[in-house]
Amino acid sequence: ALVQAESRQQVEQANLSHLESALQALMQRTERLQTELQTLSEPDQAATQAAASRQEVLARELAEARARVESLQADGAAQDERRAAAAEALGVAQREHAAAEAQLATLVQIQQRAGDDESLRGWQERHGLGQVPKLWQKMRIEHGWETAVESVLRERLHAMQAGGQGFEDVLRDHPRARASVFEPGDAVSRSAEGLVSLASKVHAVEGAIGGALADWLAGAFAVEGTPDAAARAALPAGGVLVNRQGDQFTRHTVTFHAPEGEDAGVLSRQAEIEALEARCRDLAA
């Protein structure tokens, strides 16, 4: 828009120069005619009136051209201001995008290292589990309940799926380190009156993990804050209340949650990674 405005301005400047030259020539001609008029015995009224009319027309055209030039100059200044604002906004977005990408790369690197146990690699490869996605990669947690789910599942977040004969083979080959493997299966819904199951905060991306989640989260119920004695007494036998901080409460005990090593926070970190990926896409656009 600025380039177009400048182009129009140049054209109008050329027109202005032409009109000014024509006006000057006409004025010179008027002077000559006036000089000639003085030498004539009979003045040429028609020519004088025509020249005067022509001069008035040129004067109006000159005024209009000047007004158009001023308008184009104002438009060009406004375009400059908009261009400067857009350049500043672009710079801010580029800096934010670079920072988000750097943070995302760091989190992805940490996430890739989480749960990677060298002592299990040979056993995983032997049973075709080396490239199998982990349990945590197949589920999404309701916002704010990541720590609670992680405190219950713990190392089972890295459980791998093996079905049929593969699962039977795993049962006969004990690994050198702690590991969890599950068969594909659907969840069996169980409810306890007045309690919210922790499993309701977990949304399985694949239905095949429903059975494993139902087994491992059975008897675990979500609670806000610290439950009172009445809430704990309402628990079924073997049940446990888990709050957002990951603390676990039974009828007579409490286990306070605390992060353990680099593997801690794998669920909340994954949620942050997905949020950063969406933000990077928005900033790139």
Side-chain angles (χ1 to χ4, degrees), residues 27-74:
M27 293 176 65
Q28 292 175 352
R29 182 183 175 191
T30 301
E31 292 177 356
R32 288 197 306 270
L33 289 174
Q34 289 176 343
T35 302
E36 293 176 1
L37 183 62
Q38 294 175 355
T39 60
L40 294 176
S41 57
E42 192 76 22
D44 189 351
Q45 295 294 336
T48 303
Q49 291 178 355
S53 299
R54 177 59 178 165
Q55 182 177 0
E56 291 177 359
V57 171
L58 290 175
R60 285 195 300 270
E61 292 179 356
L62 179 61
E64 292 173 359
R66 284 174 174 166
R68 287 196 297 271
V69 168
E70 292 176 357
S71 175
L72 290 173
Q73 288 174 337

Side-chain angles (χ1 to χ4, degrees), residues 145 148 151-152 198 220-223 240-244 246-249:
W145 290 97
S151 74
V152 175
L198 187 60
F221 303 95
V223 65
V240 59
L241 293 170
V242 188
N243 61 18
R244 292 177 184 263
D247 301 330
Q248 300 183 31
F249 306 86

